[in-house]
Amino acid sequence: MFLVRLVYTSTISENFDHNDITDILETAREQNKKNNVTGLLCFNRKLFLQCLEGSRTDVNQTYHRILNDPRHSDIIMLDYREISEREFDTWSMGYIPESSLSAPVNLKYSGTPDFSPYDMSGESAHKLLFALKDTVPTES
Ligand code: FAD
């Protein structure tokens, strides 16, 4: 059962209520603990950028549930690859809020100082998440 990493981006849909992020994180953490999926979710109140790590089966099943979720749309997979180890293993789903995104960090990994994951390569999107991981609180 080897490991894979999947990174995707998406946009909130018209059904999205801003309190939904709390529900999304709660469900994600509960489900991911059961499925041994780990990762990070970055959200700037309009766009999501998420990384999922785990076995190929678990990550694919999780991504399929996420794809069918009406709270977001325009879901684009940015990167999918086999990995030898997890990088976000201490989070069932760590959260990176808008306040952690700064113009310098956006500019480092994309062409503009704005958070623009649709314009990022899979590698840059992953590196942005990796660069921000030290800002993410440990889960209890
Ligand atoms: P059920 O709970 O049986 O729900 C049935 C359907 O209703 C599903 O399509 C579900 O997506 C949808 N739904 C659920 N709640 C609402 C709501 N409040 N409003 C509208 N529709 C709703 N799940 C994970 O397991 N791991 C993750 O890491 C993860 N990350 C996510 C990131 C984002 C940005 C989003 C939007 C969702 C994420 N989810 C994640 C939630 C995922 O989409 C599913 O809702 C969840 O896994 C439960 O799936 P289910 O098939 O058991 O749905």
Side-chain angles (χ1 to χ4, degrees):
M1 266 215 303
F2 56 84
L3 290 167
V4 301
R5 179 175 72 222
L6 187 156
V7 180
Y8 77 85
T9 189
S10 65
T11 305
I12 56 168
S13 69
E14 56 203 17
N15 301 318
F16 186 84
D17 172 311
H18 276 277
N19 296 322
D20 281 346
I21 190 64
T22 309
D23 286 346
I24 287 170
L25 282 169
E26 196 179 304
T27 309
R29 286 172 179 155
E30 193 182 301
Q31 294 282 333
N32 293 351
K33 275 180 196 151
K34 267 197 266 175
N35 298 317
N36 301 310
V37 169
T38 51
L40 295 183
L41 176 66
C42 181
F43 178 53
N44 78 338
R45 301 167 66 83
K46 183 172 179 227
L47 304 174
F48 295 104
L49 175 65
Q50 188 174 26
C51 174
L52 302 167
E53 304 167 324
S55 77
R56 180 166 60 188
T57 306
D58 289 328
V59 168
N60 282 351
Q61 287 174 350
T62 302
Y63 185 58
H64 277 272
R65 288 200 307 279
I66 292 172
L67 279 176
N68 289 324
D69 196 311
R71 291 170 288 189
H72 62 165
S73 63
D74 303 324
I75 304 168
I76 300 284
M77 191 194 289
L78 301 176
D79 197 35
Y80 179 85
R81 65 182 63 207
E82 292 170 18
I83 52 172
S84 56
E85 62 186 13
R86 296 174 195 250
E87 291 171 336
F88 308 123
D89 48 303
T90 53
W91 297 277
S92 57
M93 192 43 61
Y95 182 51
I96 301 173
E98 187 176 29
S99 55
S100 297
L101 290 165
S102 65
V105 83
N106 289 329
L107 193 62
K108 181 163 181 176
Y109 297 103
S110 66
T112 75
D114 304 319
F115 180 56
S116 52
Y118 286 102
D119 300 324
M120 295 170 87
S121 68
E123 187 183 5
S124 295
H126 163 250
K127 284 193 169 177
L128 171 70
L129 292 170
F130 188 80
L132 291 171
K133 85 172 191 169
D134 290 342
T135 68
V136 183
T138 315
E139 285 174 10
S140 49

